[in-house]
Amino acid sequence: MTSAFLAGIGTKLADRWLNALLLPGLLWTALLVTGLHLGQDHPFAVDRLGDWLDQLAARPAAHAPGTVALAASAVLLVSTGVGLLAGTLGGLVEQLWALPGDLPPASWIRAWRQRRWDTAGEQLRTAIRHAARATDAARTRAAQVRARQRRRSRLGPVRPGHTTRIGDRFALATLHAAQNNGLDDLPLAWPRLWTVLSAELRTDLAAARDTYAATARLAAWGLLYFPLAAAWWPAALIGAAVLTTAAVRAFAAADVLADLIETACDLHLNDLADRLGIPTTTPAPDTGHAISGRLRTTAPSTSDTG
C-alpha cells in the first residue's frame, strides 16, 4: 500500500514537471535554436531551417549514441532550467499583480487607473442625467447609459486602490472578511480557518490557487520570449500574445480564488470559533472580532520571535 502511495506521488510530480517545466521549456529552446539559425533577415525561411536540420542529420556524429545522448541531455537541462526560471519569475509576477501601489512606478499606474475610473464614472453620471431629461430617443439614451455602465464595470466595481484589478479583487475579499465576518486580520486567521474547511472546499481552493499560479507562470513565459527577439524578432509577437492570454485569464482565476476565500469565511467561521472555544451565539462580525482577538493574544510577538 505504501509503495502504491509513493508511486502515485511520483506520477503526479512527474506530470507537474512535464507540463509546467519541460514542455514549455522545450518550446522555448526550440524557438531559441530557430531564431539563432534564421536570424533577423530571413525570419520565416522555413526551408533554410529544414536544410540545416538535414545537414545535421547527415553528419556521422549525429548517429553516434553518445552524441545523441549528450545533445538530448543538454536540451533537457536547458529546458528544465528555463522552466525553473519561469516558475520563479511567475512568483514575482504574482507579487507584482497584488502590489498596493504605494511607491513609484506602481503608484503612477494606480493613479492612471484611478483617473480612468473617475472619468468613466463622470461619463456614466452625465449619461444618466441626459437620459432623465430626454423626451425623445429614449432607447438611444438608455443604450448609452448601459454602455457607460459596462465600461466602468470593466474598470472595476470600486475605485482602484491597487496597481491591478487583481490586487483590488483580493483587497475586496479581505474587506469582505472584515466587514461581514469580523476577521480584520485575514492572513492571521487563514491558516487556522483552513484546518476546519470541508474537504470539497479545500480541493476547490487548491485547484483555484493552482490555476492562478499557472496564469502567473504563463505571463512569465511571455516575458521570457521577449529576449529571444534580439535574435529573431517574431519572438516579440509570440511574447505579446502569451502575455495577453495570461492577462485575460489572470483576473478570472483571481476572481474565482477570491470568491472561494469569501465562501470559506462565510461558511466556516463558526467552525473555527467552536475549535477555539468561542461562543457562536453572537452575530458573525462579533464572533470574528473575538477570533481575531484570541489569535492576536496567542500569536508570538516580534520580540519573542526575534
Side-chain angles (χ1 to χ4, degrees), residues 41-267:
D41 296 333
H42 305 282
F44 302 111
V46 182
D47 54 340
R48 294 182 57 187
L49 185 61
D51 294 339
W52 175 65
L53 292 175
D54 291 338
Q55 292 174 5
L56 287 179
R59 294 179 179 178
H63 302 280
T67 303
V68 174
L70 183 62
S73 299
V75 170
L76 289 177
L77 284 174
V78 172
S79 301
T80 303
V82 175
L84 292 173
L85 177 60
T88 303
L89 189 58
L92 179 61
V93 169
E94 288 187 41
Q95 296 181 15
L96 292 176
W97 279 343
L99 275 180
D102 295 331
L103 299 175
S107 60
W108 303 337
I109 300 175
R110 183 183 64 179
W112 171 72
R113 295 186 64 233
Q114 289 174 342
R115 287 194 298 270
R116 291 184 67 203
W117 197 89
D118 292 340
T119 300
E122 182 59 34
Q123 291 174 346
L124 175 58
R125 288 189 290 271
T126 301
I128 293 174
R129 287 196 298 269
H130 290 171
R133 297 171 184 172
T135 57
D136 54 357
R139 291 184 179 179
T140 302
R141 297 292 186 180
Q144 291 176 350
V145 170
R146 289 193 296 269
R148 298 300 185 187
Q149 288 175 332
R150 286 193 297 269
R151 182 174 185 274
R152 196 178 72 169
S153 297
R154 286 194 299 269
L155 298 176
V158 297
R159 193 171 190 265
H162 290 70
T163 307
T164 67
R165 288 188 65 193
I166 293 175
D168 290 334
R169 183 62 187 90
F170 286 138
L172 283 177
T174 303
L175 182 63
H176 175 93
Q179 291 184 343
N180 292 44
N181 308 108
L183 297 175
D184 51 3
D185 193 347
L186 185 58
L188 176 64
W190 182 254
R192 285 83 172 175
L193 185 63
W194 176 265
T195 63
V196 300
L197 300 183
S198 63
E200 294 82 0
L201 186 53
R202 283 189 192 179
T203 301
D204 291 342
L205 276 164
R209 182 66 182 86
D210 289 343
T211 301
Y212 176 64
T215 61
R217 279 198 308 273
L218 184 62
W221 280 113
L223 293 174
L224 288 176
Y225 281 121
F226 282 101
L228 299 183
W232 189 57
W233 66 262
L237 301 180
I238 297 174
V242 173
L243 274 177
T244 301
T245 303
V248 171
R249 294 179 179 178
F251 181 75
D255 192 37
V256 171
L257 179 58
D259 279 339
L260 289 172
I261 292 173
E262 293 171 358
T263 300
C265 295
D266 293 339
L267 297 184

Side-chain angles (χ1 to χ4, degrees), residues 272-283:
L272 177 59
D274 289 337
R275 292 290 185 90
L276 294 174
I278 296 174
T280 58
T281 56
T282 58

